[in-house]
C-alpha cells in the first residue's frame, strides 16, 4: 500500500501521556490522569496501587471498562425492549385475551369468580381505591389500546437508542478504538465516563415515564407531531415530555462520545497506523461518530421545539385555522436526523462483519479501499434521502422523484459492500466459528432487508406498502438481521479479549441457530402481512375484514417471537456465566492481525507494554511465501513470522 | 511499506483540545441548522412576514445592528487576546479578555432590554410562530453567548493568576475558537431574522 | 393477480400499474437475492476449511468492482425511470384528471367525515350530505377526494384501490381514483393517530352507474 498520510503519534515509545495533549488546556479532565502521567516508563508495573471498587467498576475512566459497561447496559436494555415486544405480540395474536400468568382467567372476567392466583391479585387491585398501574394499562391482563401504543413506542425507542447504539457505538467503539489504533486510552477519559453516565441517566428517565400519570409516550418512536405536541390528542402528559428530555440527554451523551472518538482516531493513532491501515471496523466507527455528531443536534432542535410546544404554549407543530405552525416540520426534522440514524445502526455492524469475515476466511478483505469509500458514500447519501419516509405525508409530490432516486442510489455502495464480502469468501479457507456464522447471517439478512428497502424506495409501490407490516419486516431485517447479528458475532469474537475467557461455544451455537431460525419465522411472514395490506401500529387487526385471514399468521409470528426471546435468554446466561466459568483464552485465539490482539489478556491499564508501531494493513492473511498465514500489523518486516511477542 | 514512512512527520496539526472544539462546532452548527430550517419553513409558509397577526411588530433593527457591531468587535479583540498570549504579553492578554467579556455582557444586556420592549409590545413566545421561533432561535444564540461568557470568565480568572504563557495557552485558544464561532454566527441570524 | 401473494383485489385503474411495478421489483429482487445466496452458499461449501487447503491471497479486483457498481447503478436508474410516470400519474397535483365526482373527506379522531356536495354540486351549501365513515362512489368515474383533518395526522388508506394519502390538519390535499369494480370495501387509517387508531375504519361502496343514481336519489336531499 502506498501511503502519504501523516503519522500521527509520537514516535518515541517512552512518551505515553494518556491525554496526548501536553498543552494543558482548560478542560479539567487533562488532569485526571496524573497517576498515568507519573509512571510513564514502567507502565504496567505500577498499577497495583489501590483502585477502589467504585473507581474500577463504576466511575471508571478506562475505555475498556466503559466499553464493557455500555455492553452490559445495552444487553440488559435489550431484554427490556424485547420484553415489551413480546407483550404487544401477545395482543396481536390474541386480541383482547388476557396475557398468560398475570392475566385473569376467563371465568373471572365473565362471571367474577376467583379461580386462579392471578384472579386474586386482580380482585385485590379492583377492590383497592387507588388507581393501580396494572388496572389502568391492562385490566385483567388485557392490554388496552392506549397501552399498546406505549408498548411499541417504547419498544422501538429503547431498541434504537438504548440497545443498538449503546452496544455498537458505546461498547464496541470504546473497547476497540484505542486498542485497534494502538493507543493507551481515549483522548478524553472523563468525557468518556460522562458519556456513559449520561446514557444511564437518559435510560432511567425513559423508564420512569411508564409510571407517570397519563402513561408513557404513545406517538411512535417517530413521535409525529401534532399527535405528540399536545396532550389532548393522546392523554399522555409527562410521558411524552420525559421521552423528549431523555432523548435530549441521550443526545448529549452521543455528542460527548463522538467528540472523543473523532479526536482519538484523528490524533492518537500509533506510529505507522495511517488512515488506510485502519481496520474497517474503526473506519465504520469513525464515520458513525461523525454521523452521530451531525445528526443528533438536529433531533435535539426538534425535541426542543416539541418541548416548547408542550410546555410553553408555542404552536410550532400545530396549525390552527389562523395559521400557526407546520404539521410536516417535525417529520422533516425528525427524518433529517432519522435516516442518518438508521445508518448509524448498520455501519458499525458492517465494520464488525468486515473484521470477522477476513479472519475466518484467512484472506485479505476484498477491495479494502472500496469498502471504505462505500461506507463514506452511504454516510454521505444518508443525508439526502430523508424524504423517503414522507412520500405519502403530503410533502410536495414532485420531491418524491428526487428522494426516490437518491434512496435507490444507496443500493450502489451497498452492492459494493455485499459483493466485496462475497469476494472475501472467494477462494478462502473458511472456518465456521460462531462469530463467522453470525457474520454470514449478517450478510444475507442485510441483503433481504436492503432489497425490501428497494420496494419502499419506489414511490408508486410505497403508496401501497407505506405504514404496513412490509415496513416492519424491513426494519427488523436490517436492525435485527443486520445490527444484532453483527453485535452477537462481535461479542463472541471479542469476548476473549474483554474477559479473558471464551463464551461457551455449544451454547453460542444453540443460540445462533435458534435465533437465526426463529428470527426468520418471526419477521419473514411480516412481508406477507404487508402485501396483504396489514397496517402497522394497530392493536387489533381483527377489526378489519380484509385482515381476518391473516390471524393465523399473526399467531405464528407471535409464537416465533417468543422462541426468539427464549433464545436470547441463552445468550444472556452464556454471557454472564462465561465471565467466571468460561474456558480461559489465550492472547490471540483467532490468529488475528489487528493490534487489539497484541495487547496482553486481560488488557491492563494503558493497554500496551509498549505502543506498537504499525508496519502494514490489517488484513494480511495467507500472504504468499510466508510461513504463517497471518502477519500482525505490528510485526516488523522480515522478522520470523511467529505472531508477535 | 518502508521505514521512512514511519519516520515521517510525527507532529499533529491540532492538539486534542483544539480538535475537539472544532468537532463540537460541527454539532453546534447542525443544531442551528435545525432551528434555522424551522425558521425558513415558517418564513416560506407564510404569505407575509411578519404574519398579519404581527403586522405591527417592528423588530429593532438599528439597535440590533449596533449590537451586532459590538459583538464583532468583541470577536476581533478576542483574537487579539490570543495573539497577545502567543507573544507572551500576559498583561495585554488579561486586558483584552476583560474587554471581550464586557462587550459580550453588553451584547446580552442590550438584547435582554430589547426583549423586554418586545414583550411589552405583545410579541411573546406564545403569540404565534413568529414570536415563538424568534425567541427560540435568538434565545438559543443568546444561551451560547452566555456560555461563552462564562467560559471566558474562567479563562480570564486563570489569565489574571498567570496560568498561561506563550507556550502554554490551549485554554485561551479553545475559548477563542468558540467565541469567534458564536460571534460569526450572529450576523447570519441578524440578516435572516431582522433584515429579511 | 399473483395467487401466491395475498394482495387484496385491485379495483383501481392506476392500481394495475402499481401492482405491475411491485411485481417487477419482486422478480428483480428475487433474482438478486437468489444469485447472492447461491454464490454465498457455494463459496461456503467450496472454500470451507479442509486440511491442506490454503486460502488464496487476493486483495481485490478493480474490474469486478467497476462491473457491479455500474450494473447496480444501471438497474437502479432503470427502476427509477419506470416509476416516475406512475408516481406523477397518481400523485402529481398538476396531472389530476378532471373529476366527475367530488367528495370531501375530513379525518378526525377517530372517524372519517365524508361530505357530498348534494344536488347543487357545491360544497358549503345547505344541501350538503354528511355521512360518517361511508364513502359512496360510482364505478368507472374519476373521483376526487379532498382530504383534510381537523386534529392530528391520519392516513386515508384504501387497500383495494392501492391508494394512501396522509390527511393533514388545516391543509387540503386532493387525491383521485377510478374504481373498476362494484362492491363493498374497507377504508383504513394508516397513520398512528391516537389510542383508537386501529378502529378508525370506514367503508367504501362502489356502485354501478344506475345504483349510484338510485343512491343519490335516496340520500341527497331534494333541492
Ligand atoms: C439499520 C437500519 C436501516 C437500513 C440499513 C436501511 C436501509 C434502507 N432503507 Fe430503511 N428503514 C429503517 C431502517 C433501515 N433502513 C427503519 C427503522 C425504517 C422505518 C422507520 C419507521 O417508519 O418507523 C425504514 C424505512 C424505510 C423507508 C420508508 C418506508 C415507508 O415508511 O414507507 C424506505 C423507503 O424508501 C427505506 C428504504 C431503505 C433503503 C433503500 C435502504 C438501503 O440502504 C438498502 C441498500 C441495500 C441493498 C439494496 C441490498 C444489497 C445490495 C445488493 C445485493 C445489490 C443489488 C441490488 C439491486 C440491484 C437493487 N427504509
Ligand atoms: C433495534 C431495533 C429493534 C429490535 C431489536 C426489535 C426486535 C423485535 N421487534 Fe421491533 N421494532 C423496531 C425496532 C426493533 N425491534 C422499530 C423501530 C419499530 C417501529 C416502532 C413504531 O412503529 O414506532 C418496531 C416495531 C415492531 C413491531 C410492529 C408494532 C406495530 O406496528 O404495531 C413488531 C410486531 O411484531 C415488533 C416485534 C419485534 C420483536 C418480536 C422483536 C424481537 O426481536 C425481540 C426479541 C425478544 C427479546 C429480546 C426478549 C427476550 C426477553 C425475555 C424472554 C424476557 C421476557 C420478559 C417479559 C415478557 C417481561 N417490532
Ligand atoms: Cu386516524 Cu390513525
Ligand atoms: Cu430512511
Amino acid at each position: 500500500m502506498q501511503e502519504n498520510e501523516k503519522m500521527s503519534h509520537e514516535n518515541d515509545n517512552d512518551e505515553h501521556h494518556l491525554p496526548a495533549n501536553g498543552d494543558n488546556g482548560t478542560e479539567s479532565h487533562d488532569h485526571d490522569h496524573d497517576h498515568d502521567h507519573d509512571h510513564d516508563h514502567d507502565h504496567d508495573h505500577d498499577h497495583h496501587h489501590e483502585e477502589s471498587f467504585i473507581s474500577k467498576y463504576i466511575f471508571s475512566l478506562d475505555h475498556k471498562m466503559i466499553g464493557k459497561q455500555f455492553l452490559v447496559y445495552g444487553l440488559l436494555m435489550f431484554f427490556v425492549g424485547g420484553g415489551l415486544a413480546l407483550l404487544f405480540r401477545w395482543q396481536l395474536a390474541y386480541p383482547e385475551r388476557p396475557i398468560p400468568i398475570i392475566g385473569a382467567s376467563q371465568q373471572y372476567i365473565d362471571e367474577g369468580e376467583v379461580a386462579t392466583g392471578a384472579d386474586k391479585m386482580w380482585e385485590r387491585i379492583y377492590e383497592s381505591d387507588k388507581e393501580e398501574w396494572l388496572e389502568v394499562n391492562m385490566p385483567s391482563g388485557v392490554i388496552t389500546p392506549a397501552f399498546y401504543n406505549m408498548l411499541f413506542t417504547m419498544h422501538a425507542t429503547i431498541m434504537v437508542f438504548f440497545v443498538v447504539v449503546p452496544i455498537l457505538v458505546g461498547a464496541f467503539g470504546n473497547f476497540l478504538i484505542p486498542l485497534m489504533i494502538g493507543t493507551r486510552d481515549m483522548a478524553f477519559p472523563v468525557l468518556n465516563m460522562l458519556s456513559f453516565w449520561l446514557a444511564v441517566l437518559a435510560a432511567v428517565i425513559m423508564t420512569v415515564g411508564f409510571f407517570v400519570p397519563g402513561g408513557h409516550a404513545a406517538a411512535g418512536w417517530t413521535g409525529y407531531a401534532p399527535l405528540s405536541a399536545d396532550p389532548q390528542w393522546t392523554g399522555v402528559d409527562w410521558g411524552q415530555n420525559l421521552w423528549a428530555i431523555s432523548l435530549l440527554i441521550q443526545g448529549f451523551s452521543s455528542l460527548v462520545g463522538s467528540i472523543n472518538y473523532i479526536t482519538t482516531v484523528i490524533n492518537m493513532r500509533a506510529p505507522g497506523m495511517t488512515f488506510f491501515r485502519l481496520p474497517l471496523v474503526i473506519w465504520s466507527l469513525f464515520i458513525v461518530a461523525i454521523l452521530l455528531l451531525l445528526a443528533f443536534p438536529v433531533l435535539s432542535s426538534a425535541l426542543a421545539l416539541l418541548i416548547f410546544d408542550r410546555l410553553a404554549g408555542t404552536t410550532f407543530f400545530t396549525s390552527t385555522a389562523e395559521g400557526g405552525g407546520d404539521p410536516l416540520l417535525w417529520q422533516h426534522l425528525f427524518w433529517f436526523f432519522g435516516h442518518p440514524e438508521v445508518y448509524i445502526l448498520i455501519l458499525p455492524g458492517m465494520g464488525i462483519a468486515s473484521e470477522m469475515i477476513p479472519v475466518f476466511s484467512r484472506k485479505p478483505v476484498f477491495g479494502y479501499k472500496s469498502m471504505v469509500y462505500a461506507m463514506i458514500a452511504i454516510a454521505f447519501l444518508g443525508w439526502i434521502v430523508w424524504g423517503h419516509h414522507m412520500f405519502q405525508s403530503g410533502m410536495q409530490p414532485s420531491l418524491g422523484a428526487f428522494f426516490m432516486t437518491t434512496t435507490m442510489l444507496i443500493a450502489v455502495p451497498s452492492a459494493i459492500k455485499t459483493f466485496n464480502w462475497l469476494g472475501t469468501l472467494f477462494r478462502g479457507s473458511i472456518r465456521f466459528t460462531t462469530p463467522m456464522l453470525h457474520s454470514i447471517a449478517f450478510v444475507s439478512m442485510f441483503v433481504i432487508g436492503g432489497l425490501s428497502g428497494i420496494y419502499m424506495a419506489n414511490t408508486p409501490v410505497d403508496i401501497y406498502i407505506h405504514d404496513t407490516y412490509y415496513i416492519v419486516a424491513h426494519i427488523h431485517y436490517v436492525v435485527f438481521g443486520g445490527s444484532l447479528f453483527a453485535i452477537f458475532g462481535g461479542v463472541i469474537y471479542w469476548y476473549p479479549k474483554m474477559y479473558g475467557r471464551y463464551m461457551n461455544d455449544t451454547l453460542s451455537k444453540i443460540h445462533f441457530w435458534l435465533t437465526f431460525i426463529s428470527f426468520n419465522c418471526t419477521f419473514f411472514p411480516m412481508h406477507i402481512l404487508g402485501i396483504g395490506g396489514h397496517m402497522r401500529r394497530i392493536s387489533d387487526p381483527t377489526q378489519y375484514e380484509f385482515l381476518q385471514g391473516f390471524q393465523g399468521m399473526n399467531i405464528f409470528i407471535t409464537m416465533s417471537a417468543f422462541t426468539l426471546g427464549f433464545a436470547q435468554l441463552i445468550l444472556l446466561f452464556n454471557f454472564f456465566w462465561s465471565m467466571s466459568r468460561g474456558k480461559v483464552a489465550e492472547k490471540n485465539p483467532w490468529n488475528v492481525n489487528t493490534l487489539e490482539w497484541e495487547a496482553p489478556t486481560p488488557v491492563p491499564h494503558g493497554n500496551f507494554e509498549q505502543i506498537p508501531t504499525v508496519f502494514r494493513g490489517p488484513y494480511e492473511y495467507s500472504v504468499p511465501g510466508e510461513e504463517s498465514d497471518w502477519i500482525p500489523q505490528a510485526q516488523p518486516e522480515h522478522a520470523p513470522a511467529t505472531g508477535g511477542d | 511499506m518502508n521505514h521512512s514512512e514511519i519516520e515521517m512527520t510525527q507532529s499533529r496539526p491540532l492538539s486534542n483540545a483544539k480538535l475537539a472544539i472544532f468537532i463540537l462546532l460541527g454539532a453546534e452548527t447542525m443544531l442551528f441548522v435545525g432551528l434555522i430550517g424551522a425558521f425558513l419553513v415558517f418564513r416560506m409558509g407564510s404569505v407575509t412576514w411578519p404574519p398579519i397577526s404581527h403586522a405591527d411588530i417592528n423588530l429593532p433593527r438599528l439597535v440590533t445592528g449596533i449590537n451586532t457591531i459590538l459583538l464583532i468587535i468583541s470577536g476581533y479583540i478576542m483574537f487579539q487576546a490570543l495573539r497577545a498570549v502567543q507573544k507572551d504579553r500576559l498583561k495585554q492578554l488579561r486586558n483584552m479578555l476583560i474587554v471581550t467579556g464586557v462587550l459580550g455582557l453588553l451584547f446580552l444586556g442590550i438584547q435582554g432590554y430589547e426583549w423586554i420592549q418586545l414583550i411589552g409590545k405583545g410579541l411573546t413566545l406564545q403569540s404565534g410562530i413568529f414570536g415563538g421561533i424568534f425567541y427560540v432561535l435568538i434565545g438559543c444564540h443568546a444561551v451560547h453567548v452566555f456560555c461563552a461568557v462564562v467560559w471566558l470568565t474562567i479563562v480570564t480568572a486563570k489569565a489574571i493568576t498567570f496560568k498561561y504563557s506563550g507556550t502554554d495557552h490551549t485554554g485561551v485558544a479553545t475559548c477563542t475558537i468558540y467565541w469567534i464561532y458564536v460571534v460569526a454566527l450572529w450576523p447570519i441570524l441578524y440578516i435572516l431574522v431582522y433584515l429579511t | 393477480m399473483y395467487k401466491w401473494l395475498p394482495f387484496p383485489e385491485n379495483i383501481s385503474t392506476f392500481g394495475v400499474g402499481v401492482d405491475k411495478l411491485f411485481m417487477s421489483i419482486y422478480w428483480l429482487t428475487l433474482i438478486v437475492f437468489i444469485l447472492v445466496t447461491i454464490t454465498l452458499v457455494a463459496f461456503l461449501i467450496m472454500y470451507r476449511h479442509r486440511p491442506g487447503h490454503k486460502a488464496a491471497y487476493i486483495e481485490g479486483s478493480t474490474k469486478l468492482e467497476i462491473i457491479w457498481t455500474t450494473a447496480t447503478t444501471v438497474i437502479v436508474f432503470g427502476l427509477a425511470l419506470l416509476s416516475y410516470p406512475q408516481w406523477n400519474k397518481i400523485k402529481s397535483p398538476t396531472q389530476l384528471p378532471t373529476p366527475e365526482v367530488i367528495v370531501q373527506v375530513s379525518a378526525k379522531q377517530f372517524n372519517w367525515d365524508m361530505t357530498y356536495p348534494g344536488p347543487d354540486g357545491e360544497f358549503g351549501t345547505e344541501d350538503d350530505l354528511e355521512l360518517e365513515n361511508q364513502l359512496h362512489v360510482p364505478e368507472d368515474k374519476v373521483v376526487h377526494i379532498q382530504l383534510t383533518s381537523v386534529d392530528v395526522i391520519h392516513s386515508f388508506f384504501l387497500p383495494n384501490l392501492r391508494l394512501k394519502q396522509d390527511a393533514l390538519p388545516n391543509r387540503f390535499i386532493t387525491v383521485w381514483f377510478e374504481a373498476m369494480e362494484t362492491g363493498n370495501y374497507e377504508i383504513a387509517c394508516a397513520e398512528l393517530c391516537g389510542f383508537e387508531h386501529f378502529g378508525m375504519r370506514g367503508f367504501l361502496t362502489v356502485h354501478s352507474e344506475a345504483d349510484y343514481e338510485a343512491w343519490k336519489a335516496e340520500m341527497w336531499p331534494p333541492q
Side-chain angles (χ1 to χ4, degrees):
Chain A
M1 274 184 217
Q2 73 295 33
E3 246 76 64
N4 37 19
E5 251 93 356
K6 286 187 188 140
M7 299 302 131
S8 54
H9 207 280
E10 285 75 13
N11 197 12
D12 42 340
N13 272 327
D14 44 9
E15 216 271 1
H16 297 142
H17 294 276
L18 269 193
N21 55 336
D23 23 30
N24 191 11
T26 43
E27 256 112 325
S28 54
H29 47 256
D30 287 352
H31 306 292
D32 285 283
H33 270 258
D34 356 21
H35 56 278
D36 285 325
H37 275 291
D38 297 341
H39 327 285
D40 276 326
H41 294 271
D42 36 4
H43 209 271
D44 46 333
H45 305 294
D46 274 283
H47 278 277
H48 304 296
H49 63 97
E50 60 305 3
E51 251 190 311
S52 70
F53 179 81
I54 295 200
S55 74
K56 179 144 183 237
Y57 292 107
I58 302 183
F59 295 112
S60 172
L61 294 174
D62 182 19
H63 73 100
K64 299 178 292 293
M65 183 51 71
I66 297 174
K68 288 186 223 171
Q69 286 173 330
F70 263 116
L71 183 59
V72 171
Y73 152 84
L75 278 178
L76 294 178
M77 290 308 280
F78 175 52
F79 283 80
V80 178
L84 300 178
L86 297 187
L87 277 177
F88 70 69
R89 259 327 313 173
W90 174 266
Q91 160 74 13
L92 283 168
Y94 306 108
E96 312 287 303
R97 219 170 336 129
I99 344 179
I101 303 172
I102 72 154
S105 65
Q106 204 56 44
Q107 205 176 348
Y108 177 73
I109 295 174
D110 295 342
E111 287 143 37
E113 237 176 81
V114 176
T116 62
D119 293 353
K120 274 203 208 105
M121 181 186 79
W122 288 108
E123 185 92 346
R124 222 182 32 248
I125 289 178
Y126 291 133
E127 273 165 12
S128 83
D129 299 329
K130 273 196 301 172
E131 278 231 313
E132 303 254 356
W133 189 84
L134 278 173
E135 186 181 350
V136 176
N137 291 307
M138 27 183 179
S140 301
V142 178
I143 292 165
T144 64
F147 189 48
Y148 179 91
N149 290 356
M150 292 171 210
L151 286 177
F152 71 72
T153 301
M154 293 327 295
H155 160 67
T157 305
I158 288 177
M159 285 298 194
V160 170
F161 294 104
F162 299 98
V163 178
V164 178
V165 174
I167 298 184
L168 280 180
V169 184
F172 288 120
N174 264 311
F175 190 80
L176 296 180
I177 289 178
L179 278 171
M180 289 181 102
I181 67 175
T183 182
R184 298 200 180 279
D185 205 323
M186 285 286 178
F188 307 108
V190 176
L191 290 189
N192 210 10
M193 177 184 78
L194 183 70
S195 164
F196 175 70
W197 286 103
L198 281 175
V200 172
L201 176 65
V204 169
I205 293 178
M206 197 54 100
T207 318
V208 166
F210 273 110
F211 305 104
V212 297
H216 213 326
W221 82 286
T222 52
Y224 275 15
L227 187 67
S228 60
D230 193 328
Q232 67 166 307
W233 307 128
T234 49
V236 176
D237 193 4
W238 266 87
Q240 194 80 44
N241 298 344
L242 291 180
W243 177 85
I245 291 167
S246 167
L247 289 185
L248 277 176
I249 296 173
Q250 185 71 15
F252 271 108
S253 163
S254 303
L255 171 69
V256 173
S258 45
I259 290 179
N260 218 342
Y261 291 4
I262 299 173
T263 312
T264 306
V265 173
I266 292 182
N267 261 2
M268 298 173 69
R269 282 164 290 125
M273 181 59 94
T274 59
F275 265 102
F276 278 118
R277 284 178 183 172
L278 284 178
L280 286 172
V281 70
I282 300 301
W283 263 109
S284 73
L285 289 163
F286 180 60
I287 294 169
V288 157
I290 296 175
L291 283 182
L292 264 177
L293 178 86
L294 300 180
F296 233 116
V298 181
L299 178 68
S300 300
S301 72
L303 290 169
L305 295 179
L306 185 72
I307 291 176
F308 273 108
D309 264 14
R310 293 183 64 87
L311 296 179
T314 54
T315 56
F316 296 123
F317 301 121
T318 36
S319 63
T320 53
E322 303 86 60
D326 190 315
L328 285 184
L329 175 62
W330 170 268
Q331 293 181 35
H332 279 296
L333 291 176
F334 183 86
W335 290 120
F336 188 63
F337 146 81
H339 193 86
E341 168 75 15
V342 307
Y343 289 136
I344 291 166
L345 302 177
I346 199 74
L347 284 172
M350 294 176 161
I352 290 170
S354 308
E355 252 4 86
M356 298 188 290
I357 292 177
V359 169
F360 296 113
S361 310
R362 312 310 295 168
K363 258 191 77 196
V365 76
F366 195 89
Y368 171 89
K369 281 200 178 163
S370 51
M371 288 297 245
V372 173
Y373 294 136
M375 283 196 282
I376 295 175
I378 291 176
F380 176 76
L381 284 171
W383 289 100
I384 49 170
V385 301
W386 79 91
H388 66 217
H389 296 274
M390 300 171 62
F391 287 144
Q392 322 310 332
S393 70
M395 172 184 78
Q396 277 251 314
S398 52
L399 292 175
F402 168 75
F403 284 122
M404 167 170 64
T405 318
T406 50
T407 302
M408 292 208 293
L409 266 180
I410 298 184
V412 177
S414 307
I416 296 176
K417 302 222 61 120
T418 308
F419 296 132
N420 280 344
W421 285 319
L422 293 181
T424 310
L425 295 175
F426 175 65
R427 296 186 58 197
S429 173
I430 301 168
R431 283 129 225 251
F432 294 99
T433 58
T434 325
M436 185 62 170
L437 293 178
H438 281 286
S439 317
I440 296 163
F442 167 88
V443 173
S444 53
M445 296 303 101
F446 169 72
V447 168
I448 298 184
L451 289 175
S452 69
I454 299 297
Y455 291 71
M456 297 155 13
N458 221 267
T459 42
V461 174
D462 186 66
I463 298 176
Y464 180 62
I465 58 177
H466 172 64
D467 271 340
T468 65
Y469 267 75
Y470 211 86
I471 314 297
V472 180
H474 166 75
I475 299 178
H476 292 92
Y477 265 91
V478 280
V479 294
F480 197 118
S483 320
L484 276 187
F485 274 114
I487 288 175
F488 296 152
V491 168
I492 300 169
Y493 176 75
W494 277 294
Y495 199 90
K497 197 41 74 180
M498 289 184 177
Y499 295 103
R501 289 167 189 273
Y502 291 98
M503 277 171 79
N504 182 296
D505 195 50
T506 319
L507 287 179
S508 298
K509 284 238 160 62
I510 298 176
H511 165 254
F512 170 77
W513 285 109
L514 255 181
T515 305
F516 185 74
I517 294 167
S518 55
F519 162 78
N520 278 290
C521 291
T522 308
F523 295 110
F524 197 82
M526 289 189 184
H527 292 108
I528 303 172
L529 292 182
I531 293 174
H534 194 313
M535 292 80 71
R536 60 193 281 206
R537 296 169 167 177
I538 54 172
S539 64
D540 185 355
T542 57
Q543 295 277 311
Y544 287 89
E545 256 165 56
F546 77 103
L547 297 181
Q548 274 163 9
F550 292 109
Q551 207 45 33
M553 196 173 279
N554 263 327
I555 293 173
F556 175 75
I557 291 175
T558 299
M559 293 301 164
S560 313
F562 277 88
T563 320
L564 184 57
F566 170 73
Q568 306 322 310
L569 292 179
I570 303 177
L571 174 86
L572 194 72
F573 172 76
N574 195 356
F575 182 81
F576 287 110
W577 183 82
S578 303
M579 277 185 197
S580 54
R581 302 292 171 79
K583 205 175 94 196
V584 176
E586 51 274 40
K587 186 171 129 185
N588 189 348
W590 321 107
N591 296 347
V592 189
N593 293 344
T594 42
L595 293 181
E596 79 272 31
W597 305 100
E598 294 285 304
T601 304
V603 191
H605 234 289
N607 297 345
F608 301 96
E609 281 155 31
Q610 256 196 0
I611 291 292
T613 303
V614 173
F615 294 93
R616 57 180 65 73
Y619 303 110
E620 297 293 298
Y621 295 104
S622 305
V623 178
E626 294 284 337
E627 219 167 284
S628 145
D629 72 348
W630 53 296
I631 315 174
Q633 283 191 276
Q635 181 177 296
E637 248 153 317
H638 309 305
T642 54
D645 244 23
Chain B
M1 267 198 282
N2 54 42
H3 290 278
S4 65
E5 266 181 29
I6 297 149
E7 281 136 27
M8 276 164 60
T9 165
Q10 301 293 328
S11 66
R12 288 158 283 130
L14 281 176
S15 70
N16 284 355
K18 274 192 222 163
L19 184 59
I21 290 301
F22 278 114
I23 298 168
L24 173 73
L25 296 185
E28 296 277 23
T29 306
M30 292 309 283
L31 179 71
F32 279 97
V33 163
L35 292 176
I36 291 174
F39 173 82
L40 289 177
V41 166
F42 295 142
R43 178 86 174 72
M44 305 298 169
S46 179
V47 190
T48 59
W49 197 257
I52 310 159
S53 51
H54 289 87
D56 54 329
I57 297 285
N58 277 317
L59 293 178
R61 290 182 178 178
L62 184 65
V63 184
T64 316
I66 296 170
N67 217 3
T68 309
I69 293 168
L70 283 184
L71 198 60
I72 292 175
I73 293 174
S74 84
Y76 177 75
I77 295 178
M78 187 72 196
F79 185 63
Q80 293 308 316
L82 179 62
R83 298 286 289 275
V85 73
Q86 281 166 349
K87 295 186 193 130
D88 229 342
R89 297 188 192 138
L90 300 185
K91 258 225 178 90
Q92 199 183 352
L93 164 73
R94 195 190 63 194
N95 296 340
M96 295 277 187
L97 289 177
I98 291 174
V99 175
T100 312
V102 169
L103 284 174
L105 282 176
L106 201 60
F107 174 84
L108 283 178
I110 293 176
Q111 209 170 53
Y113 177 74
E114 264 178 25
W115 278 28
I116 294 169
Q117 303 289 96
L118 285 171
I119 292 170
K121 283 191 208 152
L123 184 74
T124 64
L125 194 60
Q126 286 89 353
S127 68
I129 47 165
F130 182 71
I133 197 70
F134 173 80
Y135 286 111
V136 170
L137 187 52
I138 303 297
C140 186
H141 180 264
V143 169
H144 279 79
V145 179
F146 181 75
C147 291
V149 171
V150 171
W151 187 354
L152 188 72
T153 314
I154 298 170
V155 173
T156 314
K158 282 186 156 183
I160 291 173
T161 50
F162 299 106
K163 291 269 162 56
Y164 300 114
S165 70
T167 48
D168 175 13
H169 53 261
T170 314
V172 183
T174 47
C175 188
T176 310
I177 297 169
Y178 192 74
W179 189 275
I180 289 180
Y181 174 79
V182 172
V183 167
L185 197 61
W186 177 252
I188 301 171
L189 297 181
Y190 176 60
I191 292 170
L192 263 176
V193 176
Y194 288 82
L195 298 187
T196 53
Chain C
M1 172 161 90
Y2 289 89
K3 282 281 157 14
W4 66 95
L5 296 179
F7 276 113
E9 181 202 4
N10 169 51
I11 58 161
S12 99
T13 45
F14 57 66
V16 180
V18 172
D19 285 1
K20 275 208 183 117
L21 204 55
F22 187 98
M23 290 318 292
S24 328
I25 302 174
Y26 177 80
W27 289 118
L28 171 76
T29 50
L30 196 66
I31 292 168
V32 170
F33 175 68
I34 290 175
L35 285 181
V36 170
T37 309
I38 288 181
T39 319
L40 180 68
V41 172
F43 284 2
L44 292 181
I45 297 172
M46 285 157 66
Y47 306 119
R48 69 188 181 280
H49 171 64
R50 283 153 290 173
H53 176 87
K54 204 168 180 300
Y57 183 84
I58 305 169
E59 279 187 296
S61 152
T62 316
K63 207 170 102 199
L64 282 174
E65 234 39 276
I66 292 173
I67 290 177
W68 54 58
T69 307
T70 19
T72 326
T73 316
V74 169
I75 295 177
V76 157
F77 273 107
L79 258 185
L81 285 180
L82 277 181
S83 313
Y84 296 140
Q86 298 265 7
W87 171 250
N88 286 336
K89 181 174 158 197
I90 303 171
K91 286 277 172 105
S92 168
T94 55
Q95 291 185 26
L96 292 171
T98 340
E100 289 157 290
V101 174
I102 303 179
V103 185
Q104 286 184 343
V105 175
S106 171
K108 66 160 193 272
Q109 284 181 331
F110 299 92
N111 274 307
W112 303 101
D113 282 337
M114 319 279 187
T115 308
Y116 301 85
D120 66 352
E122 303 251 332
F123 287 100
T125 52
E126 286 218 337
D127 65 354
D128 287 2
L129 170 69
E130 277 193 36
L131 293 179
E132 212 165 71
N133 295 329
Q134 301 287 343
L135 181 61
H136 291 264
V137 299
E139 190 189 7
D140 294 331
K141 288 270 156 64
V142 173
V143 180
H144 272 200
I145 304 285
Q146 295 174 351
L147 194 59
T148 187
S149 159
V150 300
D151 39 43
V152 298
I153 300 175
H154 303 264
S155 192
F156 188 59
F157 178 30
L158 300 140
N160 303 82
L161 288 160
R162 307 290 186 260
L163 180 62
K164 190 179 286 134
Q165 174 62 55
D166 283 10
L168 299 180
N170 297 303
R171 289 219 192 148
F172 287 85
I173 297 170
T174 303
V175 286
W176 73 277
F177 62 82
E178 185 182 334
M180 306 186 293
E181 209 76 52
T182 61
N184 293 309
Y185 306 93
E186 282 175 294
I187 302 171
C189 177
E191 187 67 78
L192 178 66
C193 54
F195 67 92
E196 196 78 60
H197 157 66
F198 71 104
M200 192 163 157
R201 175 175 175 229
F203 303 90
L204 166 73
T205 313
V206 182
H207 297 280
S208 66
E209 182 98 52
D211 274 359
Y212 185 66
E213 292 305 322
W215 177 79
K216 272 207 313 203
E218 186 195 334
M219 299 294 293
W220 291 18
Q223 215 139 15

